[in-house]
Amino acid sequence: MEARWKKWCPWGILLLHGLAILMFTKGFLLTRTELPYYSNCSDISVSPCLSSPDANVDNHSSGHSENAKQDQHCWSKPAVDRLVIIILDALRFDFVAPSAFFPEKKPWMDKLPVLQNLAFTQGSSAKIFKAIADPPTTSLQRLKGLTTGGLPTFVDVGNSFGAPAIVEDNLIHQLVSNGKRVVMMGDDTWVQLFPDHFNKSYPYPSFNVKDLDTVDNGCNTHIFETLYQEDWDVLVAHFLGVDHAGHIFGVDSAQMIGKLEQYNQILEKVIETLVRKSEPGGLHENTILLVMGDHGQTLNGDHGGGSAEEVETTLFAMGFKQPPSVVPHEFDSSSCLLDSDGKKCVSSIQQLDFAATVSALLGIPFPFGSIGSVNAELYALAAGTWNWRDLDTSNQKHQSEMEKWMKNYVNTLCVNSWQVKRYIDVYSASSIIGFSSEDLAHISNKYAELEENWSHSIRNLLTCQTESCSLVMAQITKQVNLYLDFLSHVSELARSKWTEFNLKMMGIGLGTMILSLLIISLALWSMPTVSGISFESIFAFLVVVIRACSFLSNSFILEEGKVACFLLATTGIVKLRYSIMRKGMLVEAILFLLLVLGLRFTIEIGMSKQAATSAFMHASSSWITGIALGDSLWGYAAEVGPLLVLVVLSCIVYKVITGNFQGIQKYIVMLTIPSYILVAVHWVLENDTQNLPLLFEGIGRNYIPQAIYALGCSQLLFLAFGMLFSEDKVADHKNSLMMKTLSMLSAWSPMIILLSGKQGSWIALASIVGGYCIIRLQNTGKDANGEKARTSSFNLLAVTQWNLLAVCLFFASGHWCAFDGLRYGAAFIGFDEFVLVRQAMLLTLDTFGFSLILPVIGLPFLLLGLNQTNPGKNVLFNQLSQMYMAYGLITATTVTATILCVTIQRRHLMVWGLFAPKFVFDVVGLVLTEVMICLASLFYFRRWVV
């Protein structure tokens, strides 16, 4: 009965931790309530605003009643007839803004001169904006934010692969509902988000980051023919080449510069086409062009977080009328500089304002959940009325134009503010967790003040129809500023309160995790057959506690890999002391410390890549090739070294097979050697310096990796069938456990090495050397009385070292706990098409292979290394159960510390940029660790427990 309890205990722990994580996540990563309401044209009748602020003046001056009928529209008067939106995915601000705006000119700057020339030409109707996105900066969330005008919450990151359709009100829905014809081409995420919304669509698969050209070529094929057609009102073209080039090659790369130069040529042709058709009466006489990014990217091509590089993108706007040059200074957000070419100004815009501004330009209702404001500069650009400084206000015509635009804009902001207030009221009444009563009261008071001023003064000014009525611009300007202040206040409040934390759920989750730690600790305490606590156990406990406490600081989280290396080296020094005292295993102790030093060096390299120095911007996911750039000798060593390590690994596998395996199991494990050979062939064929026929290139890119996956899966299936249908009749249970462990490691390792790139073989060798040293050194300890540590139970310090080594391998292999640290290219090794489950499995295998899967599978080696001769089946079972429970306890302790950290730091400035990604990585790692422990327990224990 006790044996059965121990066998199923990991499953109980997994269930308990799963419930705790689920409860905490429900409280911490709340999703915003999506309301099932949609804006309609008729809604404007219940607002205090005018449906047509300038219609009265126009009709009075014309004297024709027909004009009143023709001037009817929806929420605001349309400023444009057609809209062309070109999205260049991951478009950094410094890709578009002049290099003079930055301290140092970089190779990727000034590669889009067509946009700069148009924006800085005197009298031009074009302008460059710095567009600020709200994190997290994944493509799905940005598209959702751009079209809904809302703030997508952090938990939506999980939907970035396989986007669900947007069900709340959005810009695309409003366009279609109000008779606008929308054409889409490019990134297929659009048709997933908005199925059945487009009159025409030309979607192309978007998740193969190794493919720089398919989506862009598709856009290039269809955009020009569409620009000459009349059967559309809004055109959306979403290019992906820059995003993919960044992920694979980085910003400072020839591929990136080539993509930018290609885009410049495409944009030149697009603008030339629009200008040619913009003559009076032409197709694009009243068209506006928007060239924009959905988010930025770091120098190593990643995005998802909240750093300045990731949230700062750009928006280039160009109208094809001939307006004056500048917006009223009260609403001008430009920052300017003088260089040799004259004065250059760049404005700023929040992406949150995009949906409201575009809706106002096209005269359609704002999306129901939009909390953005209509941007004055973009609205003025499209409306064709900019220059108030240079206008001669004594000129009656100029004065009339000024008043007309200001009347339209203040009324648009009136509608804008009314719509936002309506949404906040409905949301707070509908959502379980809305805004606080104090916040709602403050919003209501500010809006009431606005409405009163509007009704008693501004509205009368706008409806004045007599020539003697003097329109007071100062009063309208003041009202505009009040509206903008109100809208800014609401958006900032939403940013701070949108993810209002459910402290009760968070407390239950955290409390459950702490309770689980106590239960596991008591269970471990009751299971060992040896009484007393050794010095090594106390030291191991302190090491775990120190690492857990380090998570309470954002600086230590950023340096997590270095902290783990330091603690691992500290345990190594303790083992070195024991080796010197016992005059044995000195070589292993020194080798272990040298290995930790090497891991520390590779972690530093990984952090340098994270900081995006261009020396690590190679197409391979490996830091090995990154360090070799620019030196032929190093380049040769970097290419040959991983292949030689694979030879060493093959020799190790062969030696193990010939010495320990018999029967069919021997041949199953033998498949690892051809898998290693295939990995080597794949690397050779993928070498950029090899001039190979196209046939061999295709074989190396896809078929060889698929063969490696097939061999690995076949090995796992054979081992699973062997566990289920064969009887374990061996007398030497220790040797049987060793063969099972070696079999599982040999099945998993080729796939993990392949996905990790050329560094994979080195990391695999490091894990073998590190594991060997830990196994050997676990017998060197002494207890508190100076006697040799008893070996009838497991060694807690050795388990702690095993866990720390796994953490070091995670960072040494080039990963870090952030979404921009995921190597998406690994998910497409062997495949060109995106299949959600398959690519997610490959990405998981790359991310957690060396740090989670292999360490959990290889943990029985610690037990096999203890100084005990021919232990019985029950002894091995008890010890291995304790060892797995201790390993899971160490992992759960650090995760509990992370949960405590994000609870304390939930209002920290870096909560979504640092603490939340750390939380997600840690809880996913804990769940996967415990799933692997459960599966390993089934595999290793099944024939031992009846």
Side-chain angles (χ1 to χ4, degrees), residues 107-108 111 212-213 241-242 245-246 248-262 299 614 617-619 629:
W108 58 85
K111 298 302 179 185
L212 307 186
D213 300 315
V242 161
I248 298 299
F249 301 99
V251 170
D252 190 5
S253 64
Q255 291 80 1
M256 178 65 76
I257 293 174
K259 269 292 158 188
L260 292 173
E261 291 173 344
Q262 178 191 14
L299 290 184
S614 60
M617 298 297 107
H618 197 270
L629 294 177

Side-chain angles (χ1 to χ4, degrees), residues 95-131:
F95 286 167
V96 176
S99 57
F101 277 85
F102 304 96
E104 181 182 355
K105 182 174 181 179
K106 299 293 184 179
W108 58 85
M109 295 179 179
D110 299 330
K111 298 302 179 185
L112 296 171
V114 61
L115 303 184
Q116 295 181 9
N117 294 338
L118 288 168
F120 304 129
T121 299
Q122 182 67 27
S124 171
S125 56
K127 195 171 187 66
I128 293 174
F129 295 80
K130 176 193 284 187

Side-chain angles (χ1 to χ4, degrees), residues 216-420:
D216 291 357
N217 291 342
C219 289
N220 197 28
T221 298
H222 296 289
I223 190 170
F224 295 104
E225 63 184 29
T226 305
L227 290 176
Y228 284 99
Q229 297 170 357
E230 300 184 4
D231 58 348
W232 60 274
D233 301 295
V234 177
L235 185 155
V236 178
H238 193 145
F239 292 75
L240 279 176
V242 161
D243 179 71
H244 289 186
H247 281 304
I248 298 299
F249 301 99
V251 170
D252 190 5
S253 64
Q255 291 80 1
M256 178 65 76
I257 293 174
K259 269 292 158 188
L260 292 173
E261 291 173 344
Q262 178 191 14
Y263 287 173
N264 189 69
Q265 295 174 1
I266 294 173
L267 292 173
E268 277 186 335
K269 292 178 63 178
V270 168
I271 293 170
E272 180 185 342
T273 302
L274 292 172
V275 170
R276 188 184 305 122
K277 303 290 288 184
S278 65
E279 71 280 355
L283 180 63
H284 297 300
E285 177 188 9
N286 197 20
T287 296
I288 186 170
L289 168 67
L290 301 179
V291 180
M292 59 188 295
D294 52 349
H295 51 74
Q297 58 177 302
T298 63
L299 290 184
N300 61 330
D302 298 318
H303 57 88
S307 68
E309 289 181 308
E310 294 166 283
V311 301
E312 291 180 1
T313 180
T314 192
L315 185 149
F316 168 87
M318 182 176 182
F320 295 91
K321 292 182 177 180
Q322 293 301 321
S325 58
V326 229
V327 77
H329 65 87
E330 293 91 347
F331 317 129
D332 192 345
S333 65
S334 299
S335 61
C336 303
L337 57 81
L338 287 173
D339 66 2
S340 57
D341 298 325
K343 185 178 180 181
K344 297 180 179 179
C345 297
V346 173
S347 296
S348 64
I349 185 174
Q350 296 287 328
Q351 281 196 350
L352 186 68
D353 301 339
F354 179 82
T357 306
V358 170
S359 297
L361 291 174
L362 292 170
I364 61 175
F366 302 173
F368 188 88
S370 171
I371 59 171
S373 59
V374 177
N375 181 272
E377 293 171 276
L378 184 54
Y379 186 72
L381 168 65
T385 313
W386 267 22
N387 184 4
W388 307 118
R389 292 195 187 105
D390 300 335
L391 283 179
D392 180 7
T393 55
S394 62
N395 184 298
Q396 185 64 33
K397 179 181 178 182
H398 288 176
Q399 178 74 17
S400 175
E401 290 177 355
M402 181 191 304
E403 292 178 359
K404 180 179 178 181
W405 184 87
M406 287 294 287
K407 286 165 58 180
N408 275 330
Y409 185 55
V410 74
N411 187 72
T412 299
L413 288 182
C414 175
V415 176
N416 193 179
S417 301
W418 164 80
Q419 170 265 323
V420 170

